[in-house]
Amino acid sequence: MQPHTTVGIVGGGPAGLLLARLLHSSGIDCVVLESRERAYVEHRQRAGILEQSTVDVLRSSGAAGRLDREGLVHDGIELRWNRRTHRLDFPALTGGRRVWVYAQTEVVKDLIALQTADGAPLVFGAQVRAVEGADTDRPVIHYTHDDRDKTLTCDYVVGCDGFHGVARRAFPHGASRTYERVYPYSWFGILADVPPSCDELIYAHSPRGFALHSMRSPQVSRLYLQVPNGTDTDDWSDERIWDELDARFAIDGDWKLDRGPITSKAVLPMRSFVTEPMRWGRVLLAGDAAHIVPPTGAKGLNLAAADVVVLARAFAHLRETGSQELLDAYSDTCLRRVWRAEHFSWFMTTALHIDPAHSDFDTRLQISQLDRIAASPHAAAELAENYAGLEIG
């Protein structure tokens, strides 16, 4: 007899692992198939900002012990433009909501530890080749593990396997529509062994391009520069990187950017992407398998968490009542939040970056928008509410 589970989860990143945790807590059996080995999954660098709702979910699922000890609570961000600076106070603008700096890598480590200790099966090194039978009541996952071809039949399959994953291919041709925007610039990201020069994130608009000052810990800084697509990290010496960051963060004041050894360099392309619908038959998509946002709005991991919370509730409702009502509404429920996050991420990106095709008129519009955020409590609250995160519907 073929192995069978209620929910087969393709992908052991934060979306798949959190979904497995929530399903396990509801007594719903599942299996997680992750193509990479555990060591790789626990060390791949990704986003580091958690919204209030994401932290609340991690706490309620028992996965926030280390987050509460080691995560950095942030009550705002700082905007810089025209050598000016303006801080947004999130709790004051949102009724108490805030964000946490805690790397996705650490979230994944915490969820894997829980999963391997008392959760549902988690199989590393499981290369999923295809998902078939989306329109049947027993979809099948075909995968290879330990050099053997295997199958897993499921009541439902959830694709949490990212933009390049196979789960989305289970949708028949013409059953979905893709919306996409590729931005004409990238982020040059570095990690540096130097304490952050700021208490909260700095988002800087500059005639030279965007810059972001973030952190991974009290001892490690994470910084980004806007660069042209196709930039080669080897063309940038450490001194050139620090000099460019200095220029873009410059303000009229005595603030100083501290320098230190750069331990990592990477160029990150930027795109917006949405697949509609997020469900076809018995196959559902979550996280980057369904949507991608540029990192400026800090939404990627948080959107994935929101997806799987909605999905876990729908599976629990099905188990308790026999009704598929919430599962049928899954795609529409999530897409409302997805498009709000896509718009906010687009807004943050286009307001702060210098497009190669920009005219002086376009730049003046950006400055006008930043001036309004600094002057208007309503504009500031709109930014703060979206950044700190909306309630999960």
Side-chain angles (χ1 to χ4, degrees):
M1 179 178 295
Q2 289 182 333
H4 179 83
T5 189
T6 301
V7 181
I9 300 172
V10 183
L17 292 167
L18 181 56
L19 176 59
R21 182 67 184 171
L22 297 173
L23 294 178
H24 179 69
S25 298
S26 297
I28 300 169
D29 65 287
C30 62
V31 175
V32 182
L33 302 175
E34 165 55 42
S35 63
R36 302 283 193 164
E37 296 299 333
R38 178 172 180 172
Y40 179 90
V41 174
E42 290 187 334
H43 289 90
R44 55 187 169 192
Q45 295 294 324
R46 293 292 187 272
I49 302 295
L50 304 183
E51 294 176 1
Q52 179 77 59
S53 293
T54 302
V55 171
D56 292 344
V57 169
L58 291 170
R59 285 173 173 164
S60 66
S61 62
R66 198 158 62 92
L67 163 63
D68 284 331
R69 295 191 303 272
E70 301 176 14
L72 306 177
V73 181
H74 282 199
D75 284 341
I77 59 172
E78 182 181 334
L79 299 176
R80 292 188 178 185
W81 73 104
N82 275 2
R83 302 185 68 87
R84 294 178 55 194
T85 180
H86 179 76
R87 179 179 181 269
L88 296 174
D89 184 329
F90 288 169
L93 293 165
T94 66
R97 299 176 74 78
R98 45 179 51 90
V99 298
W100 280 252
V101 173
Y102 190 68
Q104 176 174 314
T105 310
E106 306 308 314
V107 174
V108 166
K109 288 177 184 176
D110 297 341
L111 288 169
I112 287 176
L114 287 171
Q115 194 76 0
T116 55
D118 64 1
L122 168 56
V123 184
F124 292 103
Q127 297 281 344
V128 174
R129 304 188 309 277
V131 176
E132 295 180 343
D135 56 350
T136 72
D137 61 0
R138 283 292 188 275
V140 182
I141 302 174
H142 298 271
Y143 67 103
T144 301
H145 184 246
D146 291 337
D147 296 323
R148 295 176 58 192
D149 291 341
K150 301 182 179 183
T151 58
L152 176 68
T153 64
C154 315
D155 292 343
Y156 294 89
V157 174
V158 180
C160 300
D161 51 346
F163 179 74
H164 297 290
V166 303
R168 194 166 65 245
R169 300 177 206 162
F171 288 25
H173 180 71
S176 62
R177 181 175 179 182
T178 295
Y179 302 84
E180 186 172 19
R181 168 169 291 178
V182 177
Y183 293 85
Y185 35 72
S186 298
W187 276 13
F188 189 131
I190 67 165
L191 281 172
D193 284 340
V194 58
S197 303
C198 52
D199 295 325
E200 297 170 334
L201 274 65
I202 302 173
Y203 286 78
H205 174 283
S206 161
R208 305 172 69 97
F210 169 77
L212 171 63
H213 192 324
S214 183
M215 63 280 295
R216 279 292 176 263
S217 73
Q219 293 79 38
V220 177
S221 295
R222 180 71 157 153
L223 301 105
Y224 298 93
L225 289 166
Q226 175 190 341
V227 294
N229 289 339
T231 292
D232 188 341
T233 59
D234 291 339
D235 294 337
W236 286 72
S237 66
D238 290 9
E239 183 178 16
R240 181 186 178 191
I241 293 169
W242 289 117
D243 287 347
E244 190 63 28
L245 288 165
D246 258 331
R248 297 190 192 187
F249 286 124
I251 58 172
D252 292 330
D254 58 0
W255 183 85
K256 178 178 180 293
L257 177 65
D258 291 326
R259 302 186 177 198
I262 295 175
T263 59
S264 174
K265 301 177 185 179
V267 173
L268 314 172
M270 300 176 67
R271 63 157 30 102
S272 300
F273 168 87
V274 181
T275 289
E276 292 188 356
M278 293 170 58
R279 176 189 177 184
W280 179 262
R282 295 288 186 112
V283 176
L284 305 99
L285 305 177
D288 287 358
H291 43 72
I292 291 175
V293 290
T296 328
K299 288 285 159 275
L301 169 59
N302 297 294
L303 270 184
D307 287 349
V308 300
V309 168
V310 173
L311 193 48
R313 289 174 182 168
F315 281 125
H317 184 72
L318 173 63
R319 182 176 185 270
E320 293 164 5
T321 69
S323 169
Q324 296 197 33
E325 177 185 7
L326 296 186
L327 272 178
D328 291 341
Y330 167 71
S331 182
D332 289 342
T333 300
C334 288
L335 283 169
R336 284 193 293 271
R337 184 186 185 91
V338 166
W339 280 111
R340 175 88 296 276
E342 290 284 355
H343 183 270
F344 175 67
S345 300
W346 167 86
F347 164 77
M348 290 288 286
T349 302
T350 56
L352 291 165
H353 291 71
I354 302 298
D355 191 302
H358 260 185
S359 67
D360 291 342
F361 182 87
D362 297 314
T363 302
R364 288 297 296 129
L365 290 178
Q366 290 178 312
I367 298 300
S368 174
Q369 180 62 58
L370 293 166
D371 286 344
R372 173 165 170 75
I373 291 168
S376 166
H378 299 291
E382 175 72 9
L383 193 159
E385 287 170 0
N386 280 277
Y387 195 101
L390 308 176
E391 297 283 355
I392 298 176

